[in-house]
Coordinates of all heavy atoms in Angstrom, one line a residue:
K173 N 10.9 -2.7 13.6 CA 10.9 -3.5 14.8 C 11.3 -4.9 14.7 O 12.1 -5.5 15.4 CB 9.5 -3.3 15.5 CG 9.4 -4.0 16.8 CD 8.1 -3.7 17.5 CE 8.0 -4.3 18.9 NZ 6.7 -4.0 19.5
Y174 N 10.7 -5.6 13.7 CA 10.8 -7.1 13.5 C 11.8 -7.5 12.5 O 12.3 -8.6 12.5 CB 9.5 -7.7 13.2 CG 8.4 -7.5 14.3 CD1 7.3 -6.6 14.0 CD2 8.5 -8.0 15.6 CE1 6.4 -6.4 15.0 CE2 7.6 -7.8 16.5 CZ 6.5 -6.9 16.2 OH 5.5 -6.7 17.2
K175 N 12.2 -6.6 11.6 CA 13.2 -6.8 10.6 C 12.9 -8.0 9.6 O 13.6 -8.9 9.5 CB 14.6 -7.0 11.2 CG 15.0 -5.8 12.0 CD 16.4 -5.9 12.6 CE 16.9 -4.7 13.3 NZ 16.0 -3.6 13.5
P176 N 11.8 -7.9 8.9 CA 11.4 -8.9 7.9 C 12.4 -8.9 6.7 O 13.0 -7.8 6.4 CB 10.0 -8.6 7.5 CG 9.9 -7.1 7.7 CD 10.7 -6.8 8.9
T177 N 12.6 -10.0 6.1 CA 13.5 -10.1 4.9 C 12.7 -10.0 3.6 O 13.2 -9.6 2.6 CB 14.3 -11.4 4.9 OG1 13.4 -12.5 5.3 CG2 15.4 -11.4 6.0
Y178 N 11.4 -10.4 3.7 CA 10.6 -10.3 2.5 C 9.2 -9.7 2.8 O 8.7 -9.8 4.0 CB 10.3 -11.7 1.8 CG 11.5 -12.2 1.1 CD1 12.5 -13.0 1.8 CD2 11.7 -12.1 -0.2 CE1 13.6 -13.5 1.2 CE2 12.8 -12.6 -0.9 CZ 13.8 -13.3 -0.2 OH 14.9 -13.8 -0.8
L179 N 8.6 -9.1 1.8 CA 7.3 -8.5 1.9 C 6.4 -9.2 0.9 O 6.8 -9.6 -0.2 CB 7.2 -7.0 1.6 CG 8.3 -6.1 2.4 CD1 8.2 -4.7 1.8 CD2 8.0 -6.2 3.9
I180 N 5.1 -9.4 1.2 CA 4.1 -9.8 0.3 C 3.1 -8.7 0.1 O 2.4 -8.3 1.1 CB 3.4 -11.1 0.7 CG1 4.4 -12.3 0.9 CG2 2.3 -11.5 -0.3 CD1 3.8 -13.5 1.4
T181 N 3.0 -8.1 -1.1 CA 2.2 -6.9 -1.2 C 1.8 -6.6 -2.6 O 2.4 -7.1 -3.6 CB 3.1 -5.7 -0.7 OG1 2.4 -4.5 -0.8 CG2 4.4 -5.6 -1.6
V182 N 0.8 -5.7 -2.8 CA 0.5 -5.1 -4.1 C 1.7 -4.1 -4.4 O 2.0 -3.3 -3.6 CB -0.8 -4.4 -4.0 CG1 -1.1 -3.7 -5.3 CG2 -2.0 -5.3 -3.7
P183 N 2.3 -4.3 -5.6 CA 3.5 -3.5 -5.8 C 3.3 -2.0 -5.8 O 4.2 -1.2 -5.3 CB 4.0 -4.0 -7.2 CG 2.8 -4.7 -7.8 CD 2.1 -5.2 -6.6
S184 N 2.2 -1.5 -6.3 CA 2.0 0.0 -6.3 C 2.0 0.6 -4.8 O 2.3 1.7 -4.6 CB 0.7 0.4 -7.0 OG -0.4 -0.3 -6.3
F185 N 1.7 -0.3 -3.8 CA 1.7 0.2 -2.5 C 3.1 0.5 -2.0 O 3.4 1.3 -1.1 CB 1.0 -0.8 -1.5 CG 1.0 -0.3 -0.1 CD1 0.1 0.7 0.3 CD2 1.7 -0.9 0.9 CE1 0.0 1.1 1.6 CE2 1.7 -0.4 2.2 CZ 0.8 0.6 2.5
L186 N 4.1 -0.2 -2.6 CA 5.5 0.0 -2.3 C 5.9 1.5 -2.6 O 6.8 2.0 -1.9 CB 6.4 -0.9 -3.0 CG 6.3 -2.4 -2.6 CD1 7.2 -3.3 -3.5 CD2 6.7 -2.6 -1.2
L187 N 5.2 2.1 -3.6 CA 5.5 3.5 -3.9 C 5.1 4.4 -2.7 O 5.7 5.4 -2.4 CB 4.8 3.9 -5.2 CG 5.3 3.3 -6.4 CD1 4.5 3.7 -7.6 CD2 6.8 3.6 -6.7
K188 N 4.0 4.0 -2.1 CA 3.5 4.8 -0.9 C 4.5 4.5 0.3 O 4.7 5.5 1.1 CB 2.1 4.4 -0.5 CG 1.0 4.7 -1.5 CD -0.4 4.4 -1.1 CE -1.4 4.8 -2.1 NZ -1.4 6.2 -2.3
M189 N 5.0 3.3 0.4 CA 6.0 3.0 1.4 C 7.2 3.9 1.2 O 7.8 4.4 2.2 CB 6.3 1.5 1.4 CG 5.2 0.6 1.7 SD 5.0 0.4 3.5 CE 6.5 -0.4 3.9
I190 N 7.7 4.0 0.0 CA 8.8 4.8 -0.3 C 8.6 6.3 0.0 O 9.4 7.0 0.6 CB 9.2 4.7 -1.8 CG1 9.7 3.2 -2.1 CG2 10.3 5.7 -2.2 CD1 9.9 2.9 -3.5
E191 N 7.4 6.8 -0.4 CA 7.0 8.2 -0.1 C 7.0 8.5 1.4 O 7.6 9.5 1.8 CB 5.7 8.5 -0.7 CG 5.2 9.9 -0.6 CD 3.8 10.1 -1.1 OE1 3.2 9.1 -1.5 OE2 3.4 11.3 -1.2
Y192 N 6.4 7.5 2.1 CA 6.4 7.7 3.6 C 7.8 7.7 4.2 O 8.1 8.6 5.0 CB 5.6 6.6 4.2 CG 5.4 6.8 5.7 CD1 4.4 7.5 6.3 CD2 6.4 6.2 6.6 CE1 4.2 7.6 7.7 CE2 6.3 6.4 8.0 CZ 5.2 7.1 8.5 OH 5.1 7.2 9.9
A193 N 8.6 6.8 3.7 CA 10.0 6.7 4.2 C 10.8 8.0 3.9 O 11.5 8.5 4.8 CB 10.7 5.5 3.6
E194 N 10.6 8.6 2.7 CA 11.3 9.8 2.4 C 10.8 11.0 3.3 O 11.6 11.8 3.7 CB 11.0 10.1 0.9 CG 11.8 9.2 0.0 CD 11.4 9.4 -1.5 OE1 10.4 10.1 -1.8 OE2 12.2 8.9 -2.3
Q195 N 9.5 11.0 3.6 CA 9.0 12.1 4.4 C 9.4 12.0 5.9 O 9.4 13.0 6.6 CB 7.4 12.1 4.3 CG 6.9 12.5 2.9 CD 5.4 12.3 2.8 OE1 4.8 11.7 3.7 NE2 4.8 12.7 1.7
H196 N 9.8 10.8 6.3 CA 10.1 10.5 7.7 C 11.5 10.1 7.9 O 11.9 9.5 8.9 CB 9.1 9.5 8.3 CG 7.7 10.0 8.4 ND1 6.8 10.0 7.3 CD2 7.0 10.6 9.4 CE1 5.7 10.5 7.6 NE2 5.7 10.8 8.9
N197 N 12.4 10.4 6.9 CA 13.8 10.2 7.0 C 14.1 8.7 7.4 O 15.0 8.4 8.2 CB 14.4 11.1 8.1 CG 14.2 12.6 7.7 OD1 14.5 12.9 6.5 ND2 13.8 13.4 8.6
I198 N 13.4 7.8 6.8 CA 13.8 6.4 7.0 C 14.7 5.9 5.8 O 14.3 6.1 4.6 CB 12.5 5.5 7.0 CG1 11.6 5.9 8.2 CG2 12.8 4.0 7.0 CD1 10.2 5.2 8.1
D199 N 15.8 5.4 6.1 CA 16.8 4.9 5.1 C 16.3 3.5 4.6 O 16.6 2.5 5.2 CB 18.2 4.8 5.7 CG 19.2 4.5 4.7 OD1 18.9 4.2 3.5 OD2 20.4 4.4 5.1
I200 N 15.5 3.5 3.5 CA 14.9 2.3 3.0 C 16.0 1.3 2.6 O 15.8 0.1 2.8 CB 13.9 2.5 1.9 CG1 14.6 3.2 0.7 CG2 12.7 3.3 2.4 CD1 13.7 3.4 -0.5
N201 N 17.1 1.7 2.1 CA 18.1 0.8 1.6 C 19.1 0.3 2.7 O 20.0 -0.4 2.5 CB 18.9 1.5 0.5 CG 18.1 1.6 -0.8 OD1 17.5 0.6 -1.2 ND2 18.1 2.7 -1.4

């Protein structure tokens, strides 16, 4: 919705973000 350019996060959580994107057909790249 907002199109951020950077994230501030615990890196292991990015793996959950990737998993969710794959399950919901979100083109992360």
